[in-house]
Amino acid sequence: MLIKDIGEQGLLRILQKFCPAEIVGDDCAVMPTTPNQSLAITTDMLVDGVHFSDRTTGPYYAGWRAAAANLSDLAAMGARPLAVTVALAVAADTAVEWVEEFYRGMTACLQEYDTPIVGGDVVRSPVVTVAITAFGQVERDRTISRSNARSGWAIVATGVHGASRAGLELLLNPEFGQNLTEVDRSSLILAHQRPKPRLDVLPVVWEILDSAGEFSIAGMDSSDGLADAIIQICRASGIGAKVYWTKIPIPDIFSKIVSTEKALDWALYGGEDFELVLFLPIANAKLLVEKIGNGAAIVGTATESTDIWLTDSSGIYPDAGLKVDRGFQHF
């Protein structure tokens, strides 16, 4: 049997057998350090030609996106970033300027969240590869996991989805989107090149949950797509979901460049939008969407059944099951 026969999810299930069951399975591992605090740890690897290329990002934006991916994982756990370490593998004939620009991009992103690079490693490799480990701190009673969702809760997306995928299309195909204004074109490209981890959402979440007097929330980030996040949370929590076609937040300018079906596909499966997908009681969900705005929306409802459906209340489109293999998979 080969890795390609079992796919990415099958490989992860095998590897998780070597880890403590209570630690793995979320966006970060969470290790208790004091009676009230835990250390959140996440590692993300990026490979030239797989995760970035000079054709679409260049070293500065590749560095930014690498840092943002790790900070997004911390945000998904409710953690405040503390520091990162960076392991860099490069060929001997790699331009020094490329490496410097990559680190400038990482630093520019990290500085917005007061997060330093505190060390790492450098090795020789025929393919440029970067592995970042990020460390964050979270109060033990404020740790967001994927397995806490309950039937009847609302599903919140903290912002629009599909913009990063559209930006990638513009970078790969210069003839695409010729009817866009330069402002709209740039906004989509930046959505891909310079995503923002949603650490800003956490203080609003804490305010709402503190007022409610109960920590009721589950979630993860949508780096692998909105559909993937909903599916992963449902699986971890043993529930299902109804996702509403017309409620999914899609950039308004999509109507100028793609069909409704393509827009939905990019929003659900395009990935790399780095928003948060949160399951929480309906009253808290409504308040959260109202407070953060900027494309945040209730996109569905958790159900007792373990089925996960995309449904259209207008009846124009038939119900369809969300699929985890429609998003990006390494194998």
Side-chain angles (χ1 to χ4, degrees):
M1 185 169 60
L2 304 176
I3 291 176
K4 67 180 181 181
D5 298 323
I6 61 174
E8 180 180 347
Q9 296 302 315
L11 179 59
L12 288 173
R13 284 192 290 271
I14 291 173
L15 298 180
Q16 286 175 353
K17 297 177 183 177
F18 296 91
C19 305
E22 70 276 10
I23 296 295
V24 298
D26 283 303
D27 290 79
C28 298
V30 177
M31 310 288 290
T33 53
T34 71
N36 299 316
Q37 299 286 336
S38 295
L39 182 67
I41 309 166
T42 181
T43 297
D44 210 41
M45 185 177 295
L46 297 100
V47 179
D48 187 15
V50 178
H51 299 93
F52 61 89
S53 71
D54 286 340
R55 182 183 177 189
T56 59
T57 48
Y60 181 90
Y61 288 121
W64 178 290
R65 293 177 74 247
N70 281 266
L71 294 181
S72 184
D73 281 340
L74 292 177
M77 301 297 297
R80 174 177 61 87
L82 298 174
V84 304
T85 60
V86 183
L88 175 68
V90 290
D93 59 358
T94 301
V96 172
E97 293 79 10
W98 191 97
V99 176
E100 289 180 325
E101 275 298 287
F102 188 92
Y103 273 71
R104 287 191 186 101
M106 280 194 297
T107 301
C109 180
L110 293 169
Q111 282 180 340
E112 292 197 12
Y113 307 96
D114 299 319
T115 307
I117 300 172
V118 296
D121 193 16
V122 177
V123 299
R124 184 179 63 204
S125 168
V127 179
V128 176
T129 304
V130 184
I132 300 177
T133 298
F135 303 89
Q137 190 171 45
V138 59
E139 295 181 24
R140 293 185 67 180
D141 59 357
R142 284 186 170 180
T143 303
I144 301 173
S145 75
R146 302 178 187 178
S147 58
N148 289 340
R150 299 292 180 267
S151 173
W153 286 7
I155 306 170
V156 172
T158 60
V160 297
H161 280 74
S164 178
R165 177 62 182 82
L168 177 62
E169 191 71 21
L170 289 167
L171 289 164
L172 291 174
N173 302 301
E175 298 303 314
F176 175 72
Q178 289 295 308
N179 57 332
L180 290 174
T181 67
E182 193 57 39
V183 171
D184 287 343
R185 190 179 187 88
S186 296
S187 70
L188 292 175
I189 289 174
L190 283 178
H192 179 73
Q193 292 181 330
R194 201 171 69 187
K196 296 280 190 178
R198 297 309 306 268
L199 289 157
D200 61 297
V201 170
L202 298 181
V204 183
V205 170
W206 305 149
E207 178 186 352
I208 292 171
L209 296 184
D210 286 345
S211 297
E214 182 180 3
F215 190 83
S216 300
I217 191 170
M220 62 179 287
D221 81 344
S222 62
S223 56
D224 289 329
L226 176 60
D228 176 84
I230 293 172
I231 292 169
Q232 299 291 356
I233 295 169
C234 286
R235 285 180 175 177
S237 298
I239 58 172
K242 283 188 176 180
V243 181
Y244 309 122
W245 177 297
T246 58
K247 300 298 184 182
I248 295 173
I250 296 172
D252 292 336
I253 52 178
F254 271 21
S255 61
K256 300 179 181 179
I257 54 175
V258 292
S259 66
T260 301
E261 292 81 3
K262 177 64 73 175
L264 182 69
D265 183 72
W266 282 0
L268 288 172
Y269 301 107
E272 297 188 323
D273 289 296
F274 294 105
E275 294 292 339
L276 297 182
V277 178
L278 304 172
F279 286 51
L280 62 170
I282 184 65
N284 294 342
K286 289 180 177 178
L287 192 55
L288 177 62
V289 167
E290 178 185 333
K291 285 181 174 292
I292 61 178
N294 294 323
I298 294 175
V299 300
T301 305
T303 62
E304 289 186 7
S305 166
T306 55
D307 296 328
I308 304 170
W309 290 101
L310 176 67
T311 185
D312 176 22
S313 59
S314 69
I316 297 176
Y317 298 98
D319 289 354
L322 293 186
K323 299 181 182 300
V324 73
D325 59 359
R326 288 279 302 277
F328 178 78
Q329 299 288 312
H330 282 281
F331 306 105

